[in-house]
Amino acid sequence: MAAIAKKNGEVEDALAAMDYYCASAGNTPPVQFERAALLAQLGQLEEADRILAKLPPGTPTMAEYYYSSGTLSLNLGRVGEAREKLQRACKAAPYSGQSWLALSIAGPMQAADIDALMAVDPGLFQSNMTELSAYHYALGNMFHEAGDYRKAFASFSVGAQKKQGVTPYKFSADKADAVRVASGWQMDKASRPDDIRTPTKALHPIFVSGLPRSGTTLVEQILNSHSKVVGGEELGLMQLVTQDSGNAAADFARFRLHGGSSSELANLYCYLLRQRHEGNGFFVDKSLDTSRFAGLIAAIFPASPIIWLRRDPLDCAWSAYRTWFLRGMEWSWSLSHIAYHFAVEDALFTHWSSLLGEKLLVVDYADLVQNPEIEIDRITRFCGLQIEPAQLSPHENRRPVKTASVIQVRRPIYTTSVGNSAHYHAYMDQFVEAYETARLEFCTFV
């Protein structure tokens, strides 16, 4: 019941069901571990961390305990503590590829960790392709930090190949879905409505879109550093809203024909948002695939800002390829599939830019990190706010971060990620060729 409620965005019901479960099972340490896992999935990382801290380290096993506690510490910005716990997780279970990967993400690995990682026998993974894939990504991170880019690329490629067999990607389905959700919307191209103002007794969403690894988490962190922004997360609430309305223009028209209204859907979204956040103010929704919901978002939240991040395709592609996504990114395990997905998202960007006009703000990642004061001011004003000093030092915001950018956003804004694919250009012909072909084949919507 807790799992069902969580899937449907009903946080209070999920926690109530978990309370019943814990009570009926005697509140034993393994049961409390399950409660902490649910809290972490619901975004309540501090509470999950507090529960784990009270449990015996062997709950349910040493490896699981230290991996879970270590990743929570990483999400909460306690990097040194996270590294120590993840080292213990790797020592307890050297066949846990995800533990090695988390350790490699937590900063440059120490010599003893590198020796232990290299000594692991891949046969220990016993045909678990997900763990084996994560292990090879850990190797890739290690070689990358050492400047051995040939071995790094080879390791990432082996890891990607292992994961590709677990989660296949279908370009035709991706393209068909984009056409379906984008077609048929009729919207005013005039400027964004001027009724965005400081909210008083409500939560007002700000939507951030863009490809993974394009700078969306940085923008979320910048906005969350404003005093009038009360939170931000990848919640996926629009996916839940579409269970009532559908996600295409025809679905929305049919929904309204049968008595539904935009305000009904907006209220449902805000109700689900209230399940996670109690404060009043602006809230940053940086959910994946926001590009697939832009039409519906503009229809039910006409005054809400939509910010779209763009990044150099080669840099973004390489960053996506070297990032190990546990789920939901089937396209990221192949350079050609990345190219196909990027072409689809390019077409969506062109489509929504034309349709929404000044209701959509385009932010270039390179411009953002090279001219932060100008770009942060532009982003903030677009959201109806005035820039605050804390936004220029977003790394000082200690809020929990769960995305793959968990380490990057703890650093002052830096420019070294601009052109970060340069060391790997010699290995990316497959992406370049596929991207050029796919963009010509599917460059716009008719």
Side-chain angles (χ1 to χ4, degrees):
M1 291 298 295
I4 292 171
K6 177 181 71 71
K7 185 177 180 179
N8 287 305
E10 298 284 357
V11 174
E12 293 176 3
D13 288 345
L15 294 175
M18 180 55 73
D19 285 340
Y20 282 116
Y21 169 67
C22 290
S24 66
N27 281 309
T28 63
V31 170
Q32 286 298 312
F33 184 89
E34 290 191 55
R35 178 176 178 80
L38 176 68
L39 286 165
Q41 293 164 13
L42 293 173
Q44 299 185 23
L45 303 187
E46 293 95 339
E47 181 60 23
D49 185 59
R50 281 192 287 269
I51 290 175
L52 280 187
K54 296 177 182 178
L55 299 179
T59 306
T61 68
M62 294 293 284
E64 290 175 290
Y65 175 85
Y66 281 118
Y67 172 73
S68 298
S69 185
T71 52
L72 279 173
S73 296
L74 195 61
N75 296 145
L76 293 168
R78 305 195 300 263
V79 179
E81 178 184 303
R83 188 179 295 115
E84 180 182 345
K85 292 176 178 177
L86 291 167
Q87 286 171 332
R88 295 186 180 187
C90 293
K91 184 176 181 179
Y95 49 83
S96 172
Q98 292 186 63
S99 293
W100 284 113
L101 178 61
L103 180 60
S104 73
I105 290 171
M109 298 176 71
Q110 299 175 4
D113 298 326
I114 293 173
D115 290 342
L117 175 63
M118 295 294 289
V120 172
D121 178 2
L124 288 173
F125 295 97
Q126 299 176 346
S127 300
N128 186 324
M129 290 297 103
T130 295
E131 294 292 343
L132 184 57
S133 170
Y135 165 76
H136 282 287
Y137 268 76
L139 285 175
N141 287 335
M142 180 197 70
F143 287 126
H144 177 81
E145 289 294 333
D148 192 334
Y149 304 116
R150 181 184 63 80
K151 287 185 178 179
F153 183 82
S155 297
F156 289 130
S157 296
V158 172
Q161 185 180 30
K162 301 297 182 185
K163 198 69 164 67
Q164 187 178 351
V166 178
T167 55
Y169 166 74
K170 296 182 179 179
F171 174 47
S172 58
D174 192 9
K175 183 167 64 172
D177 179 69
V179 171
R180 180 182 62 82
V181 300
S183 301
W185 294 99
Q186 300 294 324
M187 296 174 183
D188 182 7
K189 295 182 185 178
S191 297
R192 190 170 46 84
D194 60 5
D195 61 349
I196 291 189
R197 54 181 66 88
T198 302
T200 54
K201 296 182 179 180
L203 279 168
H204 291 242
I206 298 169
F207 294 93
V208 176
S209 183
L211 286 163
R213 314 304 294 155
S214 65
T216 54
T217 301
L218 175 58
V219 169
E220 178 191 3
Q221 184 84 343
I222 288 167
L223 289 170
N224 266 278
S225 299
H226 196 285
S227 61
K228 291 184 172 65
V229 177
V230 297
E233 203 173 337
E234 291 183 358
L235 295 178
L237 298 184
M238 288 305 300
Q239 183 67 58
L240 297 174
V241 169
T242 61
Q243 293 179 8
D244 284 13
S245 66
N247 193 24
D251 298 329
F252 182 61
R254 194 157 44 246
F255 170 77
R256 298 186 66 183
L257 183 64
H258 288 85
S261 67
S262 297
S263 60
E264 179 183 342
L265 297 178
N267 289 337
L268 172 59
Y269 177 95
C270 291
Y271 163 77
L272 294 170
L273 186 54
R274 280 281 180 209
Q275 295 281 303
R276 290 177 180 255
H277 293 273
E278 298 178 351
N280 296 313
F282 290 97
F283 182 90
V284 184
D285 185 333
K286 193 193 74 74
S287 298
L288 298 172
D289 291 333
T290 294
S291 61
R292 308 298 169 112
F293 304 103
L296 190 60
I297 288 170
I300 67 178
F301 291 113
S304 282
I306 302 176
I307 302 167
W308 199 306
L309 269 293
R310 299 284 284 171
R311 187 181 179 187
D312 175 82
L314 266 175
D315 287 351
C316 197
W318 170 244
S319 188
Y321 189 60
R322 65 160 295 188
T323 300
W324 195 85
F325 299 105
L326 180 59
R327 61 180 64 88
M329 305 284 187
E330 292 81 5
W331 50 267
S332 68
W333 307 115
S334 158
L335 287 172
S336 59
H337 291 171
I338 290 173
Y340 300 152
H341 182 72
F342 276 24
V344 172
E345 292 297 306
D346 285 348
L348 283 168
F349 169 74
T350 300
H351 175 75
W352 293 125
S353 296
S354 174
L355 203 59
L356 297 177
E358 294 181 15
K359 296 178 183 179
L360 184 150
L361 179 70
V362 181
V363 176
D364 180 79
Y365 173 77
D367 289 344
L368 174 60
V369 297
Q370 292 170 344
N371 304 289
E373 291 192 24
I374 294 173
E375 290 301 302
I376 291 173
D377 181 67
R378 189 169 73 98
I379 292 168
T380 306
R381 288 182 182 277
F382 183 76
C383 296
L385 298 167
Q386 297 296 315
I387 191 172
E388 294 181 348
Q391 292 180 270
L392 299 175
S393 302
H395 62 287
E396 296 179 358
N397 185 342
R398 307 315 298 172
R399 73 185 185 92
V401 177
K402 295 175 64 178
T403 72
S405 301
V406 61
I407 293 296
Q408 289 91 329
V409 296
R410 306 297 186 192
R411 298 169 53 190
I413 294 175
Y414 56 92
T415 61
T416 53
S417 286
V418 177
N420 70 344
S421 63
H423 295 299
Y424 296 94
H425 283 181
Y427 310 108
M428 296 189 68
D429 287 348
Q430 185 183 25
F431 168 80
V432 173
E433 294 171 5
Y435 186 54
E436 291 176 354
T437 301
R439 291 189 74 191
L440 288 173
E441 178 183 330
F442 188 57
C443 60
T444 188
F445 295 99
V446 178

